[in-house]
């Protein structure tokens, strides 16, 4: 969002020519509605009319909606405006080989989600009739082509002629300026509207709040200053939902054909009365609010899940999780809908907007499954959360009205409880969360999150759009990075990476282009050519160094390599003075580069193997390739079984052993899309594009009429020339990140060999340990406890060590059984020892109302079991046993009182004793335990006497 604000704030930059129908006044038109509703304007026709108007009438290129989860833009959780996908153009950093770089006039309908971040509408949804978390933004764009005059004329004709909105009903607004920002009023736009025949009282000035849209807290220029963009662009658009409301003559977005089928479906599966459109105090029981929440949220869930954004624990996934749980809460608690009702609405959403977004039809089954799984999980969490609240309320003073904020925060962060739901549940019991403490917890969490983001932030090599424009004005050519692919296999079978001679064309430091940098100064270096791979396509950037022609012995280590608008920027810390015009010789780190090539080719083969084994429903959801390992995220219903993991590895290993040739060819994107088995992900690809095919030449794939089963993908990364160099691949981790998406981590070569060998060693250790655990009858308690500890340590080692994942699963299963067996043995031995101790104590203390004594043991478990044995034999007695641990000067305490005892509870007794002697305790009314401190006690029997006296006093008071 930071970049967006710059684009939106720069004077002359991206003028939002917002008609009143586009912004606040559309609500006025909506509320008044038409005398004669335009019933023929279905939502589908409204969307199509907008696109065709600009496409056919004004030569705009129709572009598809981008994904609602932006790729390569960490500043945004979701696409929250139509302009998001065009940020590379506006910031001057679009890949010059991509189709986007050629955009001049475009039109589209963009899927948007506003939940999280600066513009967060989540909590407003349902309270009124026009806020949404998901909406469609219609937009027409000019990038350095037409500007204000044409944009105003097109918009006016669209609204008044195509849509037939009466001209006299429309008002337009223009920016009235802002003295604090140094921005004058946009009188030019005002004069344009007046020249088109609008009455002066229909052309209204608005200031920063209403007519200067900012999506982030700040732009790339941290001081908040405003600078003109290198070229003027214009965005004219409006929300589909509000426009449909006007054209269908309705008073609410929820009364249009985008929502009425959903509201009807909700009514059919709930026990609530039909939707009546009420708000505020008139909406008794918040029933209509619940209808709106569920209708809005199910649309958001469908759109996001269809694109692979699943409810999870961080970032956009966490926001989606909150949306789902908010919908479940209103569905089950307010509308009284049964479990599964939310998922049953998915086909209705697909019916309404599926023609515009076909993925809703193809992914409907997966969407329903994920929503239902998450609903069941949340309902379980609700029950668990209620138990936590009940337990907490039982431990705090009944007279206090304040509920611990730490518990509420834990419910929110760990169980996904909405904070407002916690407040509501506590309000029913006349309690409330300590808001000050809660704010401190939220601030601390936000601080840690921001620190994490700063740690992951960009370096100094990120060219800003003004520097990019300056490079273009200077006619600095884009970097020729084709030499990153110039490597070969030598006669000895080793890869050869020739150095690259280049000239320094520009230096970027501290936010501007400079002619030279001195020793110790960090900067970005732009060369005319390079053999370094810049970070992109999920592959890590190259490492290495370059030297100057004179002197040649001074190395400039390259710390990072990034792409920006066709320029490859090498981030360095200058070892000595470096100037534009200097000649340099670049050397890539060959080991690191080869490691990335191995992992990238292995990733393609792994992708192919997963799809071959699990079917076409497997889709890549992300990947990262580094020299030491690869990470691959993919859609799948659940974690892979041991057998599936073994089969995937075997299929990959087979392709490796074939030493198949890796064919790479650059062809037009349109031809590449003709390959039947081509694997693509939702990326903006350059044109022409590189096709990477394993074992089958690209020309054969293009010319063959039969489907060839092989790995073939569009990819800009560096790859092996033959698969044999991978040598081996082991999946060392596979787990579900969120429901429906798994992550695989794999190693290759020597690391894979080491993982196999370590796995074998651990298998032998588990086998040996199993043999010793099996002879439980011959074990003493210390020996059994020692074995149990060994099982635990080996379990931890199996969990954390790099071994084959299929083997890890098998060993974990075996160790779990061993731990269960070991625990059973220990429990039997402890009961045997506790029985012996209890019998000795019964002979010593017979028929005592209060039984307090010392027992020699260092185990709280044995102490508790001994207390339990005594209580069984003396059911009317109050029993407390203590054990003095002389090495630590601690005293263990355990006690039990008869059920229904009115004189004293076990928890009260244990807490009184332990607190008296510098310790603490906890438990229930019947059983409790704790630890006290004997450091300052001259005679530990003093604790025993005090404990007995306390209990006797309580009994006496009752009598």
């Amino acid at each position: 969002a930071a970049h967006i604000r710059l684009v939106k704030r720069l004077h002359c930059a991206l003028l939002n020519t917002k008609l009143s129908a586009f912004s606040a006044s559309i609500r006025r038109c909506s509320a008044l509605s038409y005398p004669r509703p335009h019933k023929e304007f279905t939502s589908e026709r409204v969307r199509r009319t907008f696109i065709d108007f600009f496409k056919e009438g004004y030569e705009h290129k129709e572009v598809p909606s981008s994904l609602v989860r932006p790729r390569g833009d960490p500043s945004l959780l979701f696409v929250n405006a139509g302009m998001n996908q065009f940020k590379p153009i506006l910031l001057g950093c679009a890949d010059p080989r991509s189709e986007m770089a050629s955009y001049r006039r475009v039109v589209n309908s963009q899927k948007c989600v506003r939940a999280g971040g600066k513009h967060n509408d989540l909590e407003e949804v349902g309270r009124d009739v026009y806020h949404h978390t998901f909406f469609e933004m219609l937009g027409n764009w000019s990038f350095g082509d037409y500007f204000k005059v044409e944009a105003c004329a097109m918009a006016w004709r669209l609204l008044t002629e195509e849509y037939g909105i009466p001209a006299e009903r429309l008002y337009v607004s223009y920016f009235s300026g802002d003295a604090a920002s140094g921005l004058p009023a946009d009188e030019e736009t005002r004069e344009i509207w007046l020249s088109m025949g609008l009455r002066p009282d229909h052309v209204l000035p608005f200031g920063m709040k209403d007519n200067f849209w900012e999506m982030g807290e700040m732009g790339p220029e941290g001081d908040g200053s405003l600078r003109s963009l290198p070229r003027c662009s214009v965005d004219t658009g409006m929300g589909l939902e509000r426009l449909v409301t006007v054209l269908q003559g309705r008073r609410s977005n929820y009364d249009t054909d985008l929502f009425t089928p959903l509201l009807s479906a909700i009514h059919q599966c709930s026990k609530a009365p039909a939707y009546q459109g009420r708000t505020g105090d008139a909406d008794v029981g918040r029933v209509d609010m619940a209808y709106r929440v569920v209708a809005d949220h199910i649309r958001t869930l469908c759109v996001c899940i269809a694109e692979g954004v699943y409810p999870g624990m961080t970032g956009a996934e966490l926001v989606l999780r909150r949306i789902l749980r908010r919908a479940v809460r209103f569905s089950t608690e307010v509308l009284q809908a049964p479990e599964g009702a939310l998922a049953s609405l998915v086909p209705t959403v697909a019916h309404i907007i599926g023609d515009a977004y076909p993925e809703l039809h193809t992914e409907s089954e997966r969407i329903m499954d994920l929503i239902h799984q998450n609903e069941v999980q949340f309902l379980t969490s609700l029950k668990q959360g209620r138990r936590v609240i009940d337990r907490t309320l039982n431990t705090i003073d009944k007279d206090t009205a304040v509920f611990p904020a730490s518990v509420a925060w834990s419910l929110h962060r760990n169980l996904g409880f909405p904070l407002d739901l916690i407040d509501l549940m506590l309000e029913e019991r006349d309690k409330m969360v300590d808001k000050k403490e809660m704010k401190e917890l939220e601030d601390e969490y936000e601080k840690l999150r921001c620190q994490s983001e700063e740690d992951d932030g960009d370096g100094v090599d990120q060219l800003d759009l003004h520097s990019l424009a300056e490079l273009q004005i200077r006619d600095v050519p884009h970097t020729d990075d084709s030499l990153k692919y110039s490597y070969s296999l030598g006669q000895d079978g080793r890869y050869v990476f020739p150095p690259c001679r280049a000239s320094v064309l520009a230096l970027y430091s501290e936010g501007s282009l400079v002619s030279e940098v001195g020793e110790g100064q960090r900067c970005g270096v732009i060369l005319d050519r390079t053999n370094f791979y810049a970070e992109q396509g999920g592959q890590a950037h190259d490492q290495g160094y370059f030297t100057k022609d004179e002197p040649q012995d001074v190395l400039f280590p390259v710390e990072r390599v990034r792409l920006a608008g066709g320029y490859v920027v090498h981030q360095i810390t200058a070892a000595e003075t470096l100037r534009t015009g200097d000649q340099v010789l670049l050397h890539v780190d060959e080991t690191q580069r080869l490691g990335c090539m191995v992992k990238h080719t292995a990733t393609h083969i792994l992708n192919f193997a997963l799809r071959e084994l699990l079917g076409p429903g497997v889709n890549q959801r992300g990947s990262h390739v580094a020299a030491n390992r690869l990470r691959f995220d993919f859609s799948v219903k659940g974690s892979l079984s041991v057998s599936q993991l073994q089969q995937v590895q075997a299929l990959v290993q087979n392709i490796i052993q074939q030493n198949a040739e890796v064919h790479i060819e650059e062809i037009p994107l349109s031809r590449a899309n003709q390959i039947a088995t081509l694997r693509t992900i939702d990326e903006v690809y350059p044109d022409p594009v590189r096709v990477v095919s394993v074992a089958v030449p690209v020309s054969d794939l293009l010319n063959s009429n039969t489907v060839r089963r092989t790995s073939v993908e569009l990819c800009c990364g560096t790859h092996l020339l033959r698969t044999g160099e991978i040598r081996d691949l082991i999946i060392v981790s596979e787990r579900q990140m969120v429901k429906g998406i798994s992550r695989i981590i794999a190693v290759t070569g020597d690391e894979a060999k080491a993982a196999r060998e370590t796995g074998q060693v651990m298998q032998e250790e588990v086998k040996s340990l199993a043999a010793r655990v099996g002879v439980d009858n011959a074990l003493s308690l210390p020996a059994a406890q020692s074995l149990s500890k060994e099982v635990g340590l080996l379990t931890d080692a199996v969990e954390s060590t790099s071994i084959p994942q299929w083997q890890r699963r098998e060993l974990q299963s075996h160790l779990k059984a061993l731990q269960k067996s070991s625990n059973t043995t220990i429990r039997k031995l402890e009961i045997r020892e506790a029985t012996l101790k209890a019998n000795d104590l019964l002979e010593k203390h017979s028929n005592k109302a209060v039984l307090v004594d010392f027992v020699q043991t260092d185990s709280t478990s044995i102490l508790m079991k001994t207390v339990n044995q005594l209580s069984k034999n003396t059911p009317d007695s109050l029993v407390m046993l203590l054990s003095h641990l002389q090495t630590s000067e601690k005293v263990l305490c355990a006690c039990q009182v008869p059920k229904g005892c009115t004189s004293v509870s076990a928890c009260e007794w244990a807490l009184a004793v332990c607190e008296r002697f510098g310790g603490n305790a906890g438990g229930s009314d019947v059983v409790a335990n704790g630890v006290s401190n004997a450091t300052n006690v001259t005679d530990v029997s003093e604790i025993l006497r005090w404990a007995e006296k306390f209990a006797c006093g309580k009994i006496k008071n009752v009598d």
Side-chain angles (χ1 to χ4, degrees):
H3 293 305
I4 299 177
R5 181 188 185 206
L6 177 72
V7 177
K8 288 292 183 182
R9 289 190 62 177
L10 292 184
H11 187 217
C12 160
L14 189 60
L15 174 72
N16 276 299
T17 311
K18 297 295 183 185
L19 296 165
S20 61
F22 298 177
S23 54
S25 294
I26 193 170
R27 298 181 202 166
R28 189 179 309 143
C29 292
S30 171
L32 294 171
S33 79
Y34 284 139
R36 296 184 303 276
H38 289 223
K39 294 181 179 178
E40 68 273 16
F41 271 115
T42 64
S43 56
E44 185 176 351
R45 183 184 170 194
V46 173
R47 184 192 299 112
R48 193 66 252 168
T49 296
F50 183 93
I51 293 172
D52 289 345
F53 175 81
F54 290 100
K55 179 181 178 181
E56 298 172 3
Y58 294 98
E59 298 180 328
H60 285 60
K61 179 179 179 59
E62 181 182 355
V63 298
S65 169
S66 67
L67 298 177
V68 293
R69 174 75 179 275
R71 288 186 179 273
D73 188 354
S75 68
L76 289 171
L77 291 176
F78 294 103
V79 165
N80 53 12
M83 66 166 294
N84 291 168
Q85 71 165 307
F86 304 116
K87 281 172 61 177
I89 302 176
L90 300 166
L91 294 173
C93 59
D95 187 334
R97 300 169 300 166
S98 68
E99 184 183 22
M100 180 177 285
S102 67
Y103 289 169
R104 291 298 176 266
R105 298 183 177 198
V106 299
V107 62
N108 79 335
S109 179
Q110 173 64 49
K111 295 177 288 186
C112 299
V113 173
R114 285 191 188 165
K118 181 179 179 181
H119 287 266
N120 180 5
D121 291 342
L122 179 55
E123 293 303 323
E124 296 302 318
V125 170
R127 300 180 189 277
D128 54 40
V129 295
Y130 51 83
H131 272 102
H132 303 291
T133 51
F134 166 74
F135 62 96
E136 296 180 63
M137 182 59 77
L138 304 169
N140 61 291
W141 305 80
S142 165
F143 302 110
D145 192 330
Y146 61 81
F147 199 43
K148 299 181 183 180
V149 172
E150 297 87 346
C152 292
M154 292 177 194
W156 190 252
R157 185 188 162 209
L158 171 70
L159 292 174
T160 60
E161 297 181 23
E162 293 296 315
Y163 288 139
I165 299 176
E168 66 273 12
R169 302 288 298 279
L170 291 172
Y171 290 76
V172 301
S173 65
Y174 68 96
F175 182 51
S176 62
D178 184 73
S181 301
L183 298 176
D186 187 7
E187 292 294 337
E188 179 186 2
T189 296
R190 179 176 183 273
E191 291 303 319
I192 291 171
W193 288 118
L194 293 176
S195 70
M196 291 170 56
L198 272 77
R199 289 163 34 191
D201 62 342
H202 278 228
V203 183
L204 308 175
F206 287 100
M208 294 286 284
K209 181 180 179 181
D210 297 305
N211 221 87
F212 203 94
W213 192 53
E214 302 170 276
M215 284 307 295
E217 297 303 329
M218 56 175 284
E221 293 152 304
D223 59 3
S225 61
L226 303 177
R227 296 169 61 190
S228 297
L229 287 175
R231 63 177 182 175
C232 293
S233 299
V234 64
D235 152 26
T236 317
M238 66 191 98
L240 172 68
E241 290 78 7
R242 293 180 182 176
L243 177 61
V244 170
T245 301
V246 172
L247 296 181
Q248 293 185 358
R250 305 300 181 187
R251 302 183 63 85
S252 158
N253 295 0
Y254 293 92
D255 293 333
T256 68
D257 64 354
L258 287 167
F259 287 94
T260 51
L262 261 177
L263 297 172
S264 176
I266 294 168
H267 179 233
Q268 291 175 18
C269 66
S270 73
K271 297 179 181 178
Y275 178 70
Q276 298 181 49
R278 297 166 301 185
T279 60
D281 293 339
D283 184 17
V284 180
R286 301 195 298 176
V287 172
D288 288 344
M289 177 181 176
Y291 267 104
R292 290 187 289 269
V293 166
V294 173
D296 171 88
H297 289 8
I298 191 63
R299 284 168 29 109
T300 305
L301 291 165
C302 288
V303 168
C304 290
I305 294 174
E307 293 186 359
V309 185
Y310 298 167
M313 292 301 294
T314 59
E317 288 82 4
L318 177 58
V319 174
L320 198 65
R321 182 171 179 249
R322 289 173 178 165
I323 291 172
L324 187 146
R325 294 188 164 199
R326 191 169 187 257
V328 171
R329 175 195 159 198
F330 277 96
S331 175
T332 58
E333 295 191 352
V334 181
L335 299 177
Q336 298 294 302
E339 180 183 304
L342 201 61
S344 72
L345 301 174
V346 173
T348 306
V349 176
H351 172 74
I352 297 170
I353 59 174
D355 289 344
Y357 308 110
E359 64 272 15
L360 293 173
H361 288 300
T362 57
E363 295 290 328
S364 60
E365 187 175 337
R366 186 192 301 274
I367 297 169
M368 292 175 69
D369 186 43
L370 276 165
I371 289 176
H372 182 63
Q373 289 180 36
N374 279 273
E375 179 182 16
V376 171
Q377 185 181 44
F378 181 48
L379 292 175
T380 302
S381 296
L382 274 175
K383 295 177 183 177
Q384 184 179 351
R386 287 192 178 98
R387 287 197 296 269
V388 170
I389 290 175
D390 290 341
R391 188 165 61 246
T392 304
L393 290 174
N394 287 334
T395 62
I396 65 176
D397 190 337
K398 292 180 174 59
D399 295 329
T400 182
V402 178
F403 186 84
S406 58
V407 178
W409 182 250
S410 176
L411 287 171
H412 176 61
R413 289 294 306 155
N414 300 328
L415 290 181
F417 261 56
L419 291 175
D420 59 345
L421 175 58
I422 297 173
D423 289 338
L424 184 64
M425 293 171 68
L426 292 175
E427 184 181 334
E428 293 169 353
R429 307 179 189 208
D430 297 322
K431 305 289 183 184
M432 62 180 293
V433 176
D434 185 327
K435 296 299 182 183
K436 182 180 178 181
E437 187 182 351
M438 177 63 79
K439 182 67 165 58
E440 291 174 354
L441 291 169
E442 290 176 344
D443 290 346
E444 181 63 24
Y445 171 77
E446 187 65 19
K447 180 181 177 181
L448 293 172
R449 187 185 66 81
C450 291
Q451 286 176 350
S452 176
E453 289 179 358
E454 289 172 5
D455 292 341
D456 294 336
D458 294 333
V460 300
D461 60 340
Q462 282 295 87
L463 287 171
D464 65 85
L465 74 163
H466 299 288
S467 297
L468 282 167
E470 189 175 343
L471 289 171
Q472 293 161 6
I473 292 171
R474 293 181 187 180
D475 289 328
V476 175
H478 293 140
T479 310
D480 175 10
D481 63 348
S482 60
L483 292 175
K484 66 190 177 188
Y485 301 127
S486 295
Y487 50 88
S488 60
L489 272 172
Q491 293 182 349
D492 59 354
R494 295 176 179 270
Y495 280 83
V496 178
F497 301 94
C500 168
R501 188 169 296 280
S503 299
V504 178
L505 299 184
L507 298 168
Y508 180 76
S509 180
E510 298 180 353
S512 61
L513 297 174
V514 296
S515 58
E516 72 173 57
V517 291
E519 180 181 351
Q521 190 172 351
R522 295 188 74 201
C523 68
V525 182
I526 297 174
L527 307 170
D528 63 335
R529 61 208 306 253
T530 184
N531 58 346
F532 275 67
Y533 183 85
E535 186 173 347
Q536 59 179 319
Q539 179 176 328
H541 62 82
D542 277 342
Q543 298 173 8
Y545 65 92
F546 63 77
T547 61
K548 291 168 49 176
D549 276 0
E550 291 295 335
Q552 296 184 352
D553 58 343
V554 178
L555 305 184
F556 291 76
V558 176
E559 300 163 4
R560 194 170 187 178
V561 190
R562 300 286 293 275
L563 268 176
Y567 298 101
V568 177
V569 187
H570 307 72
Q571 182 175 308
I572 69 164
T573 301
E576 67 166 27
T577 300
L578 185 66
R579 300 181 177 87
T580 55
D582 283 349
Q583 302 297 302
V584 297
L585 191 66
L586 295 98
H587 303 265
V588 299
D589 182 323
E590 297 184 1
T591 302
Q592 191 264 352
R593 162 66 81 83
L594 183 58
C596 287
M597 290 163 55
V598 167
K599 304 303 184 298
H600 208 148
T601 302
T603 299
H604 281 216
I605 297 172
L606 176 63
N607 189 3
F608 169 74
L610 286 166
R611 194 174 177 87
E612 284 291 290
L613 178 65
L614 303 176
V618 171
N619 289 299
Q620 179 177 341
R621 295 303 187 189
S623 68
H624 187 261
V625 172
N628 61 333
R629 69 173 192 176
L630 67 89
R631 187 197 77 212
F632 188 76
D633 300 343
F634 60 102
S635 58
V636 66
K637 192 167 185 179
S639 290
L640 303 189
S641 66
V642 167
S643 174
Q644 288 173 326
L645 287 166
Q646 291 173 323
Q647 291 177 64
V648 169
Q649 280 190 184
L651 185 51
V652 172
Q653 194 64 33
N654 181 48
I655 297 173
I656 292 172
Q657 291 173 354
Q658 291 174 13
N659 196 25
E661 184 175 352
V662 180
H663 300 272
I664 304 174
E665 188 173 334
E666 192 172 87
I667 61 175
L669 182 59
S670 58
R671 289 204 69 203
N673 287 327
Q674 296 172 9
I675 300 174
T677 56
L678 180 69
R679 301 298 308 277
T680 62
I681 56 177
D682 296 300
E683 294 279 6
V684 177
Y685 291 101
D687 194 3
V689 69
R690 283 166 57 85
V691 180
V692 179
S693 172
V694 176
V696 181
V698 176
S699 57
D700 289 2
L701 294 170
L702 288 166
N703 299 326
S704 175
N705 292 325
T706 59
V707 175
R708 306 290 292 273
R709 305 303 304 168
T710 189
S711 166
V712 54
E713 298 186 28
L714 303 183
C715 184
C716 62
T718 56
H719 285 270
L720 297 172
L721 303 179
R722 286 191 170 274
T723 61
E725 183 66 27
I726 300 172
R727 292 163 47 207
D728 195 2
L729 180 140
I730 292 294
I731 297 172
V732 295
S733 175
E734 187 274 330
R735 63 188 180 94
Q736 288 256 298
M737 302 299 294
V738 295
K739 288 188 183 297
I741 295 184
S742 275
R743 169 169 293 176
I744 278 178
I745 294 176
V747 294
T748 61
D750 290 339
E751 290 87 357
K753 180 182 177 183
R756 286 186 188 274
E757 292 173 349
T758 304
Q760 287 301 113
V761 170
M762 287 197 159
Q763 187 167 321
E764 291 300 318
E765 289 185 18
V766 171
K767 185 177 180 181
S768 172
L769 188 58
R772 288 188 288 147
V773 171
V775 292
D776 58 345
N777 291 331
L779 291 176
S780 64
L781 181 57
Q785 291 170 331
S786 177
L787 268 182
S788 178
K789 186 175 181 180
E790 283 189 55
V791 173
L793 291 172
L794 190 52
T795 299
D796 292 342
V798 167
E799 173 66 29
S800 60
T801 305
S802 181
I803 61 174
Q805 181 67 5
W806 66 264
Q807 195 170 35
R808 188 190 323 277
R809 296 255 175 87
E810 285 192 339
L811 294 178
Q812 286 174 330
S813 178
H814 199 170
L815 284 165
K816 186 177 181 181
L818 288 180
Q819 191 70 71
K820 183 177 180 180
S821 174
S822 178
N823 290 343
T824 300
T825 299
I826 290 172
R827 187 164 56 252
K828 289 178 179 178
L829 292 170
E830 286 182 344
I831 291 173
R832 184 188 305 169
E833 184 171 333
T835 301
L836 292 173
K837 293 181 182 298
N839 289 336
D840 291 341
L841 288 166
L842 284 170
E843 291 181 7
K844 182 179 178 182
H845 306 279
S846 60
N847 300 322
K848 290 186 68 174
V850 178
L851 194 164
V852 182
D853 208 337
F854 275 107
V855 172
Q856 190 58 46
T857 181
D858 59 0
S859 168
T860 301
S861 178
I862 291 178
L863 197 64
M864 291 291 291
K865 286 181 173 64
T866 306
V867 167
N868 184 256
Q869 290 287 336
L870 282 170
S871 294
K872 284 182 178 179
N873 287 281
T874 58
D876 297 325
S877 299
L878 279 65
V879 179
M880 176 177 283
L881 296 180
L882 306 168
S883 177
H884 183 205
L885 307 180
Q886 295 183 353
T887 55
S888 63
E889 289 301 319
K890 300 290 184 184
V891 175
L892 302 181
C893 168
C895 68
Q896 185 168 336
V897 302
K899 192 172 183 179
C901 178
T902 58
S903 57
V904 66
S905 72
C907 185
E908 180 188 2
W909 190 14
L911 194 62
V913 172
C914 292
E915 283 188 341
R916 167 80 177 183
F917 297 95
N920 203 351
S924 67
D925 290 344
V926 179
V927 294
N929 66 86
V931 179
S932 60
N933 196 328
T935 305
N936 300 320
V937 180
T938 55
D939 185 357
V940 292
S941 60
E942 179 185 342
I943 302 176
L944 186 140
R945 290 192 296 272
W946 195 93
E948 185 173 2
K949 182 180 179 181
F950 178 88
C952 289
K954 288 288 184 178
I955 294 173
K956 184 178 180 180
N957 289 338
V958 172
D959 294 341

